[in-house]
Amino acid sequence: MMMVRSFLFALFVAAVLASINDGPVCGHDHITYDSHAEAKAAGVGVMHCGVCGQCSNRHDIDIYNATRNTLTKTTTQCAWASLLIGESVGNWCMNKRVGFTDGCEKCWMDNIMCDAKDCVMTCIKWKFFHIGEFKHDLDPCLACDEFTCGPAFAACAGANRRRSGIISDIARHDEEVCTIVDPWPQEQN
């Protein structure tokens, strides 16, 4: 079973790394296009790599940008609050300390609850005892989140920091960060 999981993990990583700038993109018009070229042909700028989702909007991407160096720590604290006190406290924490739109916050909370279900022991062993192995430069807790809960989060959220071209507090290889994001269009008055 472990060998099958390792194989699937390697396939997932290869797919992510090979396709960050290829494949679908979310346009500034909140429509998913099959490719960067298709969005450009339609005269639409690229908001982020990947399909559009609940976090695919200027408000949430502006939060990603403004909190590029603190969001992981803040959401981790909210996750621990959810685990130790309850999901409602995690919701309150995310709302007060981060401020995503309701749909985006739900994606984040679903991810937190997935982590609580599937990654909590890995995270406890790493955070308190430094037990575990790094995978693709991610500590065991982040790796568990990324590869266990990450696909569902990406499908729900659409935008995340690396898909939005934002370098964050999580070390990433250059090829893991979208480089085809266009500036936001000027606001119409």
Side-chain angles (χ1 to χ4, degrees):
M1 180 64 171
M2 189 60 144
M3 196 163 146
V4 171
R5 250 185 140 168
S6 295
F7 176 73
L8 292 174
F9 174 78
L11 284 177
F12 176 74
V13 169
V16 168
L17 294 180
S19 64
I20 193 74
N21 288 317
D22 300 327
V25 297
C26 182
H28 283 139
D29 59 358
H30 305 281
I31 295 173
T32 298
Y33 293 88
D34 289 336
S35 67
H36 180 238
E38 184 180 297
K40 290 295 179 197
V44 177
V46 172
M47 184 185 323
H48 63 78
C49 291
V51 300
C52 298
Q54 294 295 313
C55 301
S56 301
N57 60 74
R58 191 171 191 157
H59 174 84
D60 293 323
I61 293 174
D62 282 349
I63 288 175
Y64 285 157
N65 195 38
T67 63
R68 68 176 63 224
N69 295 315
T70 60
L71 186 60
T72 302
K73 182 177 180 179
T74 301
T75 57
T76 299
Q77 291 168 346
C78 293
W80 284 110
S82 293
L83 180 66
L84 298 172
I85 304 170
E87 187 175 354
S88 63
V89 175
N91 277 314
W92 177 87
C93 180
M94 289 294 292
N95 185 274
K96 296 298 180 198
R97 297 191 61 205
V98 181
F100 288 131
T101 59
D102 291 344
C104 187
E105 182 179 309
K106 180 166 182 353
C107 296
W108 278 83
M109 284 305 301
D110 288 349
N111 187 74
I112 285 170
M113 298 317 293
C114 175
D115 288 340
K117 178 180 166 276
D118 295 334
C119 298
V120 68
M121 291 311 297
T122 300
C123 293
I124 287 171
K125 286 191 288 187
W126 174 249
K127 298 288 183 194
F128 296 107
F129 306 107
H130 286 17
I131 297 172
E133 296 180 22
F134 277 65
K135 293 181 181 171
H136 297 276
D137 299 329
L138 296 174
D139 74 47
C141 186
L142 284 173
C144 184
D145 168 66
E146 176 122 347
F147 298 105
T148 303
C149 303
F153 174 75
C156 180
N160 62 21
R161 290 174 291 179
R162 78 186 128 174
R163 282 182 166 192
S164 302
I166 298 168
I167 306 295
S168 74
D169 53 347
I170 299 175
R172 301 284 182 189
H173 297 280
D174 290 344
E175 63 271 11
E176 292 181 90
V177 179
C178 182
T179 60
I180 56 173
V181 174
D182 292 310
W184 290 99
Q186 293 295 334
E187 296 286 334
Q188 300 293 321
N189 289 332

